[in-house]
Amino acid sequence: MRRINALLGKELADLRQNRAVFFPAILTGVISMSLPFFVAVFVPAFTGERLSDSSDLEIAEQLYRAQPGLVALSTEGAIQAWIFQQFLVLLVLTPVAGSMSVAAYSVIGEKQARTLEPLLATPLTTVELLIAKVLGALLPALALTVACFAVYVAGVALLAEPGVFRALLTPASLTIVFILGPLAALAALQLAVCASSRVNDARSAQQIGALIILPIAAALVLQLTGTFLLTAPMMAFIAAALVAVNGGLMLLGIVLFDRESILTRWK
């Protein structure tokens, strides 16, 4: 643990010195938070047409009135709550983008800076090295997730109808942000680490990790169209699947991370 903690401290120190690496994640978070406010608050304010005037959103209003604790919401508030909760899936992209950026840089950036070879010559095992690299990318991404969610809830409490923010504090909403989001981010960063061990370009590693984004975007579209609902059993199944995927990716990363190849053949 001492070696892992030492390397983790080095990873976080490197990140503080290269803050631009985290810029894509911050940009993703800003866009993810802005879209639902644009749809639920700003467009109705500019057009003068309330969301409750649209017959297409009657199902959303009925759905949220049926949930305990949200019955007291106005019709406009119920529809806003539906919109803000549906877009929580998009907020999951924030830790995914953050973890991919940092994970790709942590291996390829060190290789390009000629600091990875001396590190591999230390008594660190491959497992210890990968654990520190993964945590060094995951912890900042989780911190950004917490910050974005806090800003998101505060914005809803300030700009939306009274009581709408409570829809973001339900067990289902918190599960999406703080369980499915980190698990998806962990899978993405492990894909990026696996790719980083075999390629010389950080962008190539990020593109492979971006495969996680496709099912997240698909889930958002399907939810908004009513084709797919993230029920409690469905979220439990997805979480279990992500745990299994992450376990497999960790084993794959250990196999692919060929220390001898890095020391002798990487240029």
Side-chain angles (χ1 to χ4, degrees), residues 37-238:
F37 285 99
F38 179 77
V39 173
V41 178
F42 298 131
V43 169
F46 289 144
T47 61
E49 182 179 351
R50 295 172 61 83
L51 296 171
S52 53
D53 295 335
S54 174
S55 59
D56 296 333
L57 296 173
E58 288 181 359
I59 296 177
E61 185 264 332
Q62 295 172 5
L63 174 66
Y64 270 82
R65 282 190 181 281
Q67 290 195 17
L70 300 176
V71 179
L73 288 177
S74 64
T75 303
E76 187 76 7
I79 296 175
Q80 286 183 341
W82 178 80
I83 292 173
F84 283 116
Q85 194 176 53
Q86 299 307 302
F87 272 90
L88 278 178
V89 175
L90 194 60
L91 200 62
V92 172
L93 293 178
T94 300
V96 171
S99 60
M100 283 192 306
S101 300
V102 178
Y105 172 81
S106 66
V107 177
I108 295 177
E110 284 209 63
K111 185 180 72 172
Q112 294 173 342
R114 299 293 182 182
T115 58
L116 186 58
E117 289 86 346
L119 184 63
L120 293 177
T122 66
L124 274 170
T125 65
T126 300
V127 173
E128 292 170 342
L129 178 64
L130 290 180
I131 289 176
K133 291 287 185 184
V134 166
L135 289 178
L138 183 63
L139 293 180
L142 295 182
L144 181 62
T145 300
V146 172
C148 287
F149 184 72
V151 172
Y152 191 64
V153 173
V156 172
L158 181 64
L159 299 175
E161 293 286 312
V164 171
F165 74 94
R166 294 191 184 93
L168 304 178
L169 302 177
T170 61
S173 300
L174 296 177
T175 298
I176 292 172
V177 176
F178 295 110
I179 295 181
L180 298 186
L183 287 174
L186 184 58
L189 74 88
Q190 289 200 95
L191 279 173
V193 168
C194 290
S196 299
S197 65
R198 294 294 179 174
V199 301
N200 295 330
D201 183 10
R203 287 176 295 182
S204 299
Q206 291 172 358
Q207 288 170 358
I208 293 175
L211 293 174
I212 299 296
I213 293 177
L214 296 178
I216 295 174
L220 175 65
V221 173
L222 292 175
Q223 274 209 127
L224 291 176
T225 59
T227 307
F228 172 76
L229 292 176
L230 276 175
T231 60
M234 180 61 68
M235 286 189 286
F237 172 78
I238 294 174

